Amino acid sequence: MWYNYLVPPLLGAVIGYLTNDLAIRMLFRPHQPKYIWGHRIPFTPGIIPKEKSRLAHSIGEMVSIHLMDKDTLSKNLLSDEMVEKVEASVDGFVEQLQTNPATLRASLPTMVTNVDQSVDDISEKLSKVIAQRLRNSRVSEDVSDKVVRYVIERTSKGALKLIGVGNVVELLSNRLQESISTHLDVILRENAEEMVRDMSKTEMNQLLDTPVSELMAGKDEWVGKGRAILLNLYRSAISEQLPKVLAAIDVQKMVEERINEMDVAEVEKITKEVLDKELKSIVWLGAVLGGLIGLFNLFVMLGK
């Protein structure tokens, strides 16, 4: 009957389909070796579970040499397309700042956990440093000298121009300068730290209570320079720091260890998700080849 001619190609297609499907399944399954009477059953575990360590080493080596090497990463990270994306990100961030109506204090918590505490800490540290430098400097002598000179200049236009008064003025000015300098030393020693702390806190709080958009207003030149600096830092980081980072990180070992840590079922799932279409194509290709072989056998039989 005519349908007898369909049996060879149809049977060949079914065998080809099942054979390829079984071969793909045997890549992953069984996950563990199977035993009968203490003897391991051939082809257990599957090829990938059995060769997992060797495959992990090969994949790690391939990634470190061909995918995560300095030249490949630098080429991609410094490409025109990537630099344009970085520029767009910087421009977007600047635009966001320029239109941000919130105060600097309200905007900082995303980066600083406790703004008020940070202000206090900075003021405290700053006041100690500046106060110590004021105590160790000649500021009291300089201030007292300028005060006395100012007084002399203002008064010398009057009666002090009389003959014989000059020596008295000089003597008084020296005494006055010493007195002012002494009192300034005491004031600085006892009050400099508190004065600097209060001043710095006031200035910082005023800055924090200013809207971000107001701080950015009229700063186009500064923004342009900052943008150029950020882009140069990006290029410099990729060109100079990337080799150091790659040298410090053992990419091959990291990839190899990660693959070895993965469960075989997870590897199977990921592989099938990525290659689902290709694996199905291989199965159906087996069916097509099996059908063609069956059809060829049919022609051979008919030729006899």
Side-chain angles (χ1 to χ4, degrees):
M1 299 296 295
W2 63 270
Y3 52 80
N4 290 331
Y5 297 110
L6 294 177
V7 173
L10 184 60
L11 183 60
V14 171
I15 293 174
Y17 180 94
L18 294 176
T19 301
N20 280 18
D21 183 68
L22 179 62
I24 290 175
R25 292 178 184 273
M26 290 178 64
L27 288 173
F28 303 96
R29 296 177 181 273
H31 295 166
Q32 302 295 333
K34 304 297 181 181
Y35 295 89
I36 295 181
W37 299 315
H39 298 282
R40 184 173 64 84
I41 299 176
F43 306 109
T44 66
I47 296 175
I48 289 180
K50 183 180 180 181
E51 302 294 337
K52 184 181 175 184
S53 297
R54 185 179 62 81
L55 290 172
H57 178 77
S58 298
I59 293 173
E61 189 175 47
M62 180 190 67
V63 170
S64 64
I65 295 177
H66 301 291
L67 300 180
M68 293 288 288
D69 64 295
K70 177 180 71 69
D71 294 335
T72 301
L73 289 176
S74 297
K75 179 180 178 180
N76 286 274
L77 293 175
L78 292 177
S79 65
D80 293 339
E81 182 181 0
M82 182 59 69
V83 172
E84 287 176 2
K85 289 182 179 179
V86 174
E87 290 177 342
S89 298
V90 173
D91 291 340
F93 177 69
V94 171
E95 184 178 356
Q96 183 181 3
L97 292 178
Q98 291 174 330
T99 57
N100 186 3
T103 64
L104 184 60
R105 186 188 301 276
S107 303
L108 280 178
T110 56
M111 297 174 281
V112 181
T113 306
N114 192 326
V115 178
D116 293 331
Q117 184 61 48
S118 299
V119 169
D120 291 340
D121 293 341
I122 294 173
S123 300
E124 188 68 28
K125 294 177 181 178
L126 189 63
S127 63
K128 290 181 181 298
V129 173
I130 295 179
Q132 186 61 41
R133 292 196 176 185
L134 285 174
R135 295 188 192 104
N136 296 336
S137 67
R138 290 178 46 86
V139 65
S140 58
E141 290 88 345
D142 293 339
V143 171
S144 61
D145 180 65
K146 292 184 184 301
V147 170
V148 171
R149 286 180 180 278
Y150 176 79
V151 172
I152 293 175
E153 288 176 0
R154 298 287 291 181
T155 57
S156 62
K157 297 178 181 180
L160 294 180
K161 287 185 176 180
L162 297 174
I163 300 174
V165 177
N167 294 333
V168 176
V169 171
E170 184 178 356
L171 179 62
L172 290 175
S173 65
N174 291 336
R175 296 287 179 85
L176 182 60
Q177 183 175 349
E178 291 176 2
S179 177
I180 293 175
S181 176
T182 301
H183 285 85
L184 279 177
D185 280 334
V186 174
I187 293 172
L188 289 176
R189 186 167 56 254
E190 296 179 354
N191 302 289
E193 189 170 328
E194 181 181 355
M195 292 168 60
V196 173
R197 181 170 58 248
D198 292 342
M199 289 171 57
S200 60
K201 286 183 67 173
T202 299
E203 292 298 324
M204 282 192 285
N205 282 319
Q206 288 180 354
L207 177 65
L208 290 171
D209 292 330
T210 305
V212 176
S213 56
E214 185 176 326
L215 291 173
M216 296 294 293
K219 303 293 192 305
D220 293 341
E221 182 178 355
W222 178 85
V223 169
K225 291 180 179 179
R227 180 178 182 274
I229 290 173
L230 287 175
L231 292 175
N232 287 333
L233 284 175
Y234 172 76
R235 292 189 178 94
S236 175
I238 300 301
S239 301
E240 299 176 9
Q241 302 304 321
L242 181 61
K244 298 179 182 178
V245 173
L246 290 177
I249 299 176
D250 191 340
V251 177
Q252 178 177 341
K253 182 179 179 181
M254 182 174 63
V255 173
E256 187 174 345
E257 289 179 349
R258 179 65 187 100
I259 294 176
N260 283 323
E261 290 172 357
M262 296 174 66
D263 185 71
V264 178
E266 185 181 1
V267 176
E268 180 181 6
K269 180 182 177 182
I270 294 174
T271 303
K272 287 184 176 180
E273 287 177 353
V274 175
L275 300 175
D276 181 65
K277 182 177 179 181
E278 288 74 13
L279 294 176
K280 288 181 178 178
S281 297
I282 292 174
V283 172
W284 284 106
L285 179 61
V288 172
L289 292 176
L292 291 175
I293 292 173
L295 187 61
F296 176 76
N297 288 334
L298 176 64
F299 288 148
V300 172
M301 292 173 60
L302 291 175
K304 293 180 179 181

